[in-house]
Amino acid sequence: MPRNLGSAVGGLVLAWSELPKVHCGSRFEKSLYDLIRGLRNHKGNEKEYIQNSLKECRSEIRSQDMDLKATALLKLIYLEMNGHDMSWASFHVLEVMSSQKYHQKRVGYLGAIQSFRPDTDVLMMATNLLKKDLAASLPTLIALPIASLPHIVTPSLALSLLGDLLPRLTHSHAAIRKKTVVTLYRLALVYPETLRAAWPKIKERLMDKDEDSSVTAAIINVVCELGWRRPHDFLPLAPRLFELLVDSGNNWMAIKLIKLFATLTPLEPRLVRKLLPPLTNLIKTTPAMSLLYECINGIIQGGILGEGEDFSAREEIASLCVSKLRGMISVNSDPNLKYVALLAFNRIVTTHPFLVAEQEDVILECIDSEDITIRIKALDLVQGMVSSDNLLSIVSRLMRQLKASSAALAQQNGLDDEPLETDSSDEAGNGPKQRTKSKEQAPPLPEDYTIDVIGRILKMCSQNNYSNIVDFDWYIDVLTQLVRIAPAPRARELESNSAPTPKLAADVSERIGNEIRNVAVKVKAVRPAAVRAAELIVSRLNTETASSRPVVTGALKPLAWVVGEYAYQLLSPDDTLRSMLDIAPRVEYPEVLATCLQSIPKLFSHVAGDDQALWTAQRKSTMSLLMARVIHVLEPFAQHPYLEVQERAVEFIELLKLTAEAASGQAPSTDDLQQDAPLLLTQAIPSLFTGWELNSVAPAAQYNVPIPDGLDLDEPLHPNLGRLLAQADSLMLPTQGDDEFEVYYNQKPPATAISSGPAIERLLDAPEEVAGSYQQAGEESYLDADIIARRKAERIERNRDDPFYILGSTRSEGTSTPIHNILQKENGPDLDIDAIPIMQLDLEKLNIDNGASRQQQQRPKSKSRQRIVIEADETLAGSGTSTPRHNYESENNSDSFTKSKAKKLKQQSLLQFDSSHLRDLSLDADRPDDGFAHERQQREEAEMAQAMKEVQRLRLEMQRANERIQVAQGVPVEGIVVKKKKKKSSASSKVKTAVTTPEGEGGEGSAVKVKKKKKKTVEAAVEGGVEEQPVVKSKKKKAKRVVKLDDDDGQNNEGSQATAAVDDGQ
């Protein structure tokens, strides 16, 4: 696909419009217009039409007619933009680029932009063509290579063309200078030395006040891109940049300058005082929202709002920025402006939190925005502004969102489509109203956002050890509602071993259950309410989840712990035990099941462990049946593949069997003889779960535990552990359990969903709730009806004796005040107001002491607010500061949606090049001795290549010395030694043999090529550092031949050169 689609389409249209609209010769070839029209006419058969068009283009582009070749190339460019490769036509692209006609050359350069890559073979053949076009006299021709180079540049091409581009900085046309500046920056990304050579001329153009504004803007763009990497190099340009900021009327240049000054102010704090007046003037006067935001952002990033000498000026500019950002949120409806304003608020809140807190109303409105990204940024801001005063309002807004989304999701899944038992007339009358209501209902929120919002609610409420919570009863009700509306956890795949897999972040219901457990453990004053909430959730899970569907909610694990640990505070322990027995066989995940199995004996010990009750026949039968049922539920888990579940099940089964035997052997009490319950039932089993109270432990307390002396953690548990494990692996498991293991470990559990809404929400004509409480208005909008009814009943019971509390219509409930009881008793049900006797009161005869005593008796009746004590996490005393190996966080906290998405990848520029190496480049005139890292790398590579050549030469000399030794020992020349010598001399050593005749007989020495068959060489073995000596070997009736081997110590020292002097002896 094209790398720059907009410029490619524009160039394609312009190039097609400039091509001649004539047909070539007698043939009527397709033009680009014909190709596009044919492609539109072949709907549904585009693939075949495109293949035929590619075949035609392949034949046309090989033509000698340049117009036909350019037209074919233009069609290939269009097809390449649609995803078809045209790299095979790179040489033909180069041919069209070399055309003398401008409209054809333009098509060629467009094809190069679209098809050339750094590894294109013909790219190095285009170097001379680019040099030629860069030196052209027409500006239109010069612009073609300048515009194409950023797309096809390579380090070698940049090095070759740098000298031709630099003179274009002084071209007479401003457009050429502007394009050259931008192209030089693109060259610097692949060849950084470009900046060192081009910076003096670029700086000269910048300092020239008569320079064209477009050229200056291009230079500012380049300087801004380089400034954040090496800002100290551009600090001397601050006066000229400030002048451009004040005098220039270009908003885009002002944005770049403000960004550049934001990187320079930390290096020069005096710039802050200089920049405040122009920036304040821009903020007050500019109508451009983009420039307004960049001014505020530059002030924040430049540290102008931070510490400084002039406190009043900083407060004034901060107040101005906050007011402008408020206007961007409240006045403008553009979601982009709201988003960037919230970004700026998130940065200002670190230095001026009180100013941001004053804008709470507009920030809270963004929580209900239709744009999810705006909601997330608003939540980031609100999370840092939360306090005990606004926590209730913030959580109420978020809860309303979640409940509305849950209702919409339930309706979308068909949970609210159950028919009502009404007559046809009622259905006809309520039908249109119901349809209108469903249309107005907002769509459900994304699951990731819902999980993120729930996590933020938990974090805001639990931060600083619940310091922001005033009413813990309200918080428990919120947690109960969150369990109902939380998304069903995603399925977790079980691995092949017995260890549980890590929990997914999507199982937010477990974090909600952890909060209920934390409140029950830490806040003892509200522990009964937390236990009752856990009891209600467990009972609801049992009743609303079908018996054939597994229980997958993660909240069951901490809630089962709560109902088991604090069973003495349950309203109905018997019902809770039955619910746990019904739920346990349907639990999906083994780690949750292990906690449930631990909770069942605790509940049983509380139900059956009353040592004060008589051991009657009824109690005996009841306990026997209850133990039989518990054993029946636990027996299938004795063979569970998860070892923790298996161990707990076996232990409790055996214990309950012993207890059942003891209970069956204990005779019941009679009228004459009283029998006590079995001690196993009343003392042994309860003693297993009583003792020290479990408290909250700090997350890093485990790492403060010192290692005992003599404990070696690296020592194996058994000296023959390997042999034992090998024997265990060789044991044959029963075939009956193989299928169970296979199903448990390898089969993915089916995805399930839990109905989180109450039954009342399923009624189609349910009346809408009306807020009836002036104290906490709006609770009915995010809490279910049963929770609201329970809270109302508790409130009425708590305030029934308060004369200042106005009760509603509660007569049907049977509640009454003491005064009402007196009147009802004295006057009967028919109360006559006129029959009330009138008594004369003499105030002077009243006893003041009696009045004072009555006041003292009445004061205790007014209940004072209960003081809530929140216990801190326990840790080891005197162990010092904990230094855990990992960043452990409290399990209360939840990760943000933006953090869960991932940690952000390394950002790259739009050009898809890493420009981080530019920070190592110095623009000083004095070049360092070692040069730039790129050149240093090239030198190291050259040195490595030279070293490899030297190693090759030494290895070759060693081989030749070995050959000489073998020749001296009588190895025939025709043998393998000669063949090796030929191979090495032709491939590596490149030995040149020069045959010269004596001057007296042959005149000047002339080189004679010696044939292989006639060449015979006698070499002397080289020992130690002794130089080679010439060896003369005479043959009968043949001319003497002297072979002299000398080492060549010159620059081209790649081997030894042999010089043979031939004496014909005549």
Side-chain angles (χ1 to χ4, degrees):
M1 294 300 291
R3 287 166 288 180
N4 193 343
L5 186 59
S7 61
V9 172
L12 187 64
V13 173
L14 290 176
W16 173 63
S17 62
E18 294 179 0
L19 283 179
K21 306 302 185 294
V22 294
H23 296 287
C24 303
S26 60
R27 299 176 58 192
F28 292 91
E29 305 294 345
K30 290 181 181 179
S31 63
L32 178 62
Y33 176 76
D34 298 331
L35 175 63
I36 298 174
R37 183 172 58 182
L39 188 60
R40 292 176 179 175
N41 292 334
H42 289 75
K43 295 256 184 201
N45 197 21
E46 294 91 346
K47 186 175 181 181
E48 182 179 356
Y49 180 78
I50 290 175
Q51 294 300 326
N52 295 332
S53 300
L54 286 174
K55 292 180 181 179
E56 294 176 1
C57 292
R58 285 179 180 271
S59 60
E60 292 172 3
I61 204 169
R62 294 187 177 93
S63 174
Q64 298 299 325
D65 189 351
M66 193 57 69
D67 288 332
L68 183 60
K69 187 185 292 288
T71 304
L73 178 58
L74 202 59
K75 292 189 289 184
L76 284 176
I77 294 172
Y78 178 79
L79 294 176
E80 196 271 344
M81 292 169 60
N82 286 275
H84 299 275
D85 183 40
M86 61 168 292
S87 59
W88 54 270
S90 58
F91 184 78
H92 303 290
V93 172
L94 189 61
E95 288 180 340
V96 180
M97 289 172 60
S98 62
S99 175
Q100 299 300 323
K101 299 180 180 180
Y102 174 76
H103 61 273
Q104 297 173 355
K105 184 182 290 289
R106 183 186 180 92
V107 175
Y109 275 101
L110 180 59
I113 291 174
Q114 290 297 110
S115 62
F116 281 9
R117 299 293 183 270
D119 56 348
T120 303
D121 297 334
V122 301
L123 192 57
M124 64 178 182
M125 300 173 60
T127 305
N128 292 330
L129 176 61
L130 294 171
K131 285 177 172 289
K132 178 182 176 182
D133 291 340
L134 284 173
S137 58
L138 296 177
T140 53
L141 290 179
I142 300 176
L144 291 178
I146 293 178
S148 303
L149 271 177
H151 301 275
I152 63 176
V153 66
T154 60
S156 60
L157 190 61
L159 178 62
S160 302
L161 298 179
L162 179 59
D164 299 278
L165 271 176
L166 291 179
R168 304 284 81 80
L169 287 173
T170 57
H171 198 273
S172 58
H173 284 74
I176 300 299
R177 297 197 299 270
K178 177 187 68 175
K179 293 180 180 180
T180 303
V181 169
V182 179
T183 302
L184 285 173
Y185 173 73
R186 180 63 180 83
L187 263 64
L189 294 180
V190 295
Y191 182 63
E193 284 299 306
T194 301
L195 285 178
R196 183 178 287 121
W199 176 244
K201 293 187 177 181
I202 295 177
K203 183 179 179 181
E204 181 183 353
R205 295 289 94 194
L206 177 63
M207 303 304 293
D208 188 2
K209 297 183 180 180
D210 298 331
E211 183 58 81
D212 189 85
S213 60
S214 62
V215 180
T216 304
I219 296 175
I220 293 298
N221 286 331
V222 173
V223 173
C224 184
E225 290 296 324
L226 298 174
W228 65 272
R229 297 182 183 92
R230 295 180 60 87
H232 54 274
D233 287 342
F234 305 98
L235 193 58
L237 301 177
R240 174 59 178 166
L241 299 177
F242 181 79
E243 181 182 353
L244 291 174
L245 177 63
V246 175
D247 299 336
S248 176
N250 190 345
N251 289 342
W252 295 111
M253 186 187 297
I255 290 174
K256 293 292 183 181
L257 289 171
I258 292 172
K259 290 182 178 180
L260 184 57
F261 275 119
T263 61
L264 297 179
T265 47
L267 300 178
E268 183 53 67
R270 291 178 296 178
L271 284 174
V272 174
R273 186 181 304 173
K274 192 73 174 177
L275 289 173
L276 273 179
L279 292 180
T280 305
N281 184 36
L282 284 175
I283 292 175
K284 291 180 178 180
T285 59
T286 181
M289 287 297 174
S290 59
L291 181 58
L292 174 62
Y293 171 73
E294 290 299 339
C295 289
I296 298 175
N297 190 34
I299 289 174
I300 298 171
Q301 291 184 351
I304 298 178
L305 298 181
E307 298 180 357
E309 300 177 356
D310 195 352
F311 177 78
S312 61
R314 287 191 292 105
E315 293 301 315
E316 180 182 358
I317 191 66
S319 178
L320 179 61
C321 293
V322 170
S323 63
K324 291 294 183 179
L325 292 175
R326 178 187 176 91
M328 293 174 67
I329 294 177
S330 59
V331 177
N332 296 277
S333 59
D334 188 359
N336 296 324
L337 293 178
K338 290 184 179 181
Y339 183 82
V340 296
L342 291 174
L343 283 179
F345 270 135
N346 277 284
R347 296 172 181 172
I348 295 179
V349 74
T350 57
T351 57
H352 295 77
F354 58 93
L355 289 178
V356 180
E358 294 176 355
Q359 321 304 322
E360 179 182 349
D361 52 344
V362 295
I363 295 173
L364 289 179
E365 290 179 0
C366 295
I367 296 180
D368 298 327
S369 175
E370 296 179 356
D371 194 340
I372 297 296
T373 57
I374 294 178
R375 292 187 181 187
I376 294 174
K377 287 302 174 184
L379 287 176
D380 291 338
L381 190 57
V382 167
Q383 193 170 340
M385 298 167 45
V386 67
S387 63
S388 58
D389 298 330
N390 58 11
L391 176 66
L392 180 62
S393 61
I394 294 173
V395 175
S396 299
R397 280 179 176 266
L398 297 178
M399 290 296 296
R400 281 193 290 270
Q401 285 184 13
L402 296 178
K403 187 173 182 182
S405 174
S406 177
L409 183 61
Q411 184 177 4
Q412 183 178 356
N413 294 336
L415 299 180
D416 293 341
D417 295 334
E418 298 180 2
L420 296 177
E421 297 180 358
T422 57
D423 53 9
S424 59
S425 61
D426 294 340
E427 293 178 357
N430 297 334
K433 182 179 179 181
Q434 178 66 24
R435 288 194 295 268
T436 304
K437 183 179 179 181
S438 63
K439 289 181 180 179
E440 295 177 355
Q441 192 172 16
L445 297 172
E447 182 178 344
D448 292 338
Y449 176 76
T450 303
I451 294 172
D452 180 56
V453 170
I454 294 176
R456 290 175 186 272
I457 292 175
L458 300 180
K459 187 173 183 180
M460 286 187 293
C461 295
S462 62
Q463 65 183 2
N464 298 329
N465 202 18
Y466 305 99
S467 61
N468 295 326
I469 296 181
V470 179
D471 187 359
F472 274 92
D473 293 329
W474 165 83
Y475 183 49
I476 293 173
D477 292 334
V478 168
L479 294 176
T480 305
Q481 183 67 34
L482 285 177
V483 172
R484 300 179 182 182
I485 65 179
R490 299 166 186 168
R492 292 179 288 181
E493 296 182 359
L494 300 178
E495 299 179 357
S496 58
N497 51 17
S498 60
T501 56
K503 301 177 180 61
L504 298 176
D507 193 2
V508 70
S509 59
E510 183 173 354
R511 285 185 280 173
I512 303 172
N514 290 335
E515 276 301 303
I516 298 177
R517 183 191 61 191
N518 292 339
V519 172
V521 172
K522 289 186 175 183
V523 191
K524 295 182 179 180
V526 295
R527 181 176 293 172
V531 175
R532 288 194 295 269
E535 180 183 11
L536 177 63
I537 297 173
V538 171
S539 176
R540 189 184 179 90
L541 283 176
N542 182 34
T543 56
E544 293 194 355
T545 306
S547 59
S548 60
R549 300 177 61 183
V551 178
V552 295
T553 178
L556 182 59
K557 180 179 179 181
L559 295 178
W561 186 90
V562 170
V563 298
E565 185 69 20
Y566 306 111
Y568 57 90
Q569 292 186 344
L570 294 172
L571 294 179
S572 178
D574 298 334
D575 296 339
T576 306
L577 178 58
R578 285 193 292 269
S579 299
M580 291 299 300
L581 292 175
D582 292 338
I583 291 175
R586 294 179 287 158
V587 175
E588 182 75 12
Y589 304 124
E591 59 269 20
V592 180
L593 180 58
T595 307
C596 293
L597 295 186
Q598 188 74 20
S599 175
I600 290 174
K602 292 181 180 179
L603 291 169
F604 174 78
S605 66
H606 176 71
V607 171
D610 188 6
D611 55 353
Q612 301 296 329
L614 296 176
W615 183 248
T616 62
Q618 180 181 1
R619 184 184 179 190
K620 178 180 179 180
S621 60
T622 303
M623 292 298 102
S624 299
L625 292 176
L626 183 59
M627 285 188 288
R629 185 184 177 189
V630 173
I631 294 173
H632 176 73
V633 172
L634 296 182
E635 277 183 345
F637 301 123
Q639 297 180 351
H640 199 278
Y642 189 62
L643 297 181
E644 188 73 17
V645 175
Q646 183 184 130
E647 180 182 2
R648 296 186 183 186
V650 171
E651 291 175 353
F652 297 143
I653 288 172
E654 296 300 325
L655 181 60
L656 290 176
K657 286 182 178 179
L658 292 177
T659 308
E661 292 178 359
S664 62
Q666 184 77 7
S669 299
T670 60
D671 295 337
D672 299 334
L673 180 63
Q674 293 185 356
Q675 295 288 344
D676 295 331
L679 295 180
L680 277 174
L681 193 63
T682 58
Q683 294 185 10
I685 295 180
S687 65
L688 297 177
F689 309 110
T690 57
W692 295 99
E693 184 178 359
L694 297 179
N695 297 324
S696 178
V697 182
Q702 181 67 31
Y703 292 95
N704 290 332
V705 178
I707 300 178
D709 297 335
L711 176 62
D712 187 5
L713 298 179
D714 298 329
E715 183 180 358
L717 299 176
H718 192 275
N720 296 327
L721 182 61
R723 183 174 59 84
L724 295 178
L725 293 177
Q727 292 178 357
D729 293 338
S730 62
L731 294 177
M732 296 299 295
L733 296 176
T735 57
Q736 182 179 1
D738 291 342
D739 295 336
E740 182 180 357
F741 276 86
E742 179 69 21
V743 170
Y744 181 78
Y745 284 117
N746 298 325
Q747 291 188 8
K748 184 177 180 180
T752 58
I754 297 178
S755 174
S756 58
I760 193 172
E761 290 184 356
R762 302 177 185 175
L763 301 178
L764 297 177
D765 58 347
E768 296 183 359
E769 297 287 344
V770 180
S773 174
Y774 65 91
Q775 295 175 342
Q776 295 182 357
E779 284 186 358
E780 292 81 359
S781 60
Y782 60 87
L783 294 180
D784 287 344
D786 56 340
I787 300 178
I788 294 296
R790 180 174 55 81
R791 288 178 61 84
K792 185 177 180 180
E794 292 176 355
R795 185 166 58 249
I796 292 175
E797 180 66 22
R798 185 169 59 250
N799 299 312
R800 64 187 181 88
D801 294 334
D802 190 354
F804 299 100
Y805 187 80
I806 302 176
L807 296 176
S809 57
T810 59
R811 294 183 181 275
S812 61
E813 299 177 2
T815 59
S816 60
T817 61
I819 298 178
H820 180 269
N821 293 334
I822 295 173
L823 294 176
Q824 188 77 10
K825 181 179 179 181
E826 295 294 334
N827 299 280
D830 298 330
L831 180 62
D832 187 6
I833 301 298
D834 297 333
I836 298 177
I838 300 175
M839 299 176 63
Q840 183 179 3
L841 299 177
D842 189 0
L843 299 178
E844 295 179 357
K845 298 180 180 180
L846 291 177
N847 191 355
I848 301 177
D849 296 337
N850 294 336
S853 62
R854 284 196 299 270
Q855 291 180 0
Q856 291 179 0
Q857 293 176 0
Q858 291 177 359
R859 284 178 184 175
K861 293 182 180 179
S862 59
K863 296 181 180 179
S864 60
R865 187 173 185 86
Q866 186 179 9
R867 183 179 179 182
I868 302 298
V869 178
I870 304 173
E871 298 182 357
D873 295 336
E874 293 184 352
T875 185
L876 293 181
S879 59
T881 305
S882 174
T883 56
R885 287 174 289 181
H886 303 284
N887 185 17
Y888 289 93
E889 297 180 355
S890 176
E891 58 187 1
N892 311 331
N893 300 338
S894 62
D895 295 331
S896 174
F897 172 64
T898 53
K899 294 180 181 179
S900 68
K901 269 207 165 187
K903 295 177 179 180
K904 295 184 179 179
L905 299 175
K906 185 179 180 180
Q907 296 181 354
Q908 292 184 348
S909 63
L910 295 177
L911 299 175
Q912 298 180 355
F913 273 84
D914 184 14
S915 57
S916 59
H917 57 271
L918 292 180
R919 68 185 60 187
D920 299 329
L921 178 65
S922 176
L923 298 180
D924 297 337
D926 299 334
R927 182 174 174 176
D929 296 337
D930 58 348
F932 184 62
H934 180 69
E935 291 186 351
R936 184 166 60 252
Q937 182 180 1
Q938 290 183 347
R939 288 199 304 271
E940 291 176 356
E941 292 177 356
E943 292 175 359
M944 180 61 68
Q946 186 66 24
M948 293 297 296
K949 290 182 180 180
E950 185 68 18
V951 171
Q952 184 70 12
R953 186 186 66 82
L954 294 176
R955 185 175 63 83
L956 183 60
E957 289 183 357
M958 293 176 62
Q959 290 180 357
R960 288 183 173 177
N962 189 20
E963 292 173 4
R964 296 189 190 103
I965 294 174
Q966 292 178 358
V967 170
Q969 292 177 355
V971 178
V973 183
E974 299 83 1
I976 190 172
V977 178
V978 177
K979 292 183 179 180
K980 282 188 176 181
K981 182 177 180 181
K982 173 187 174 184
K983 180 178 179 181
K984 294 301 179 179
S985 61
S986 60
S988 303
S989 62
K990 299 181 181 179
V991 179
K992 298 180 180 179
T993 305
V995 182
T996 57
T997 58
E999 296 180 0
E1001 299 183 1
E1004 294 182 1
S1006 59
V1008 179
K1009 185 176 181 181
V1010 182
K1011 295 182 179 180
K1012 180 179 178 182
K1013 294 182 180 180
K1014 296 182 179 180
K1015 179 179 179 182
K1016 293 183 179 181
T1017 306
V1018 180
E1019 299 173 344
V1022 181
E1023 297 179 4
V1026 183
E1027 297 182 354
E1028 299 178 1
Q1029 300 295 333
V1031 180
V1032 180
K1033 183 177 180 181
S1034 60
K1035 287 190 178 181
K1036 205 171 185 179
K1037 296 182 180 181
K1038 288 187 179 179
K1040 295 181 180 180
R1041 182 179 301 172
V1042 179
V1043 179
K1044 183 178 181 181
L1045 299 175
D1046 297 329
D1047 291 336
D1048 187 6
D1049 298 331
Q1051 295 181 355
N1052 300 325
N1053 191 10
E1054 297 180 358
S1056 61
Q1057 200 176 46
T1059 305
V1062 181
D1063 186 6
D1064 54 0
Q1066 297 180 2

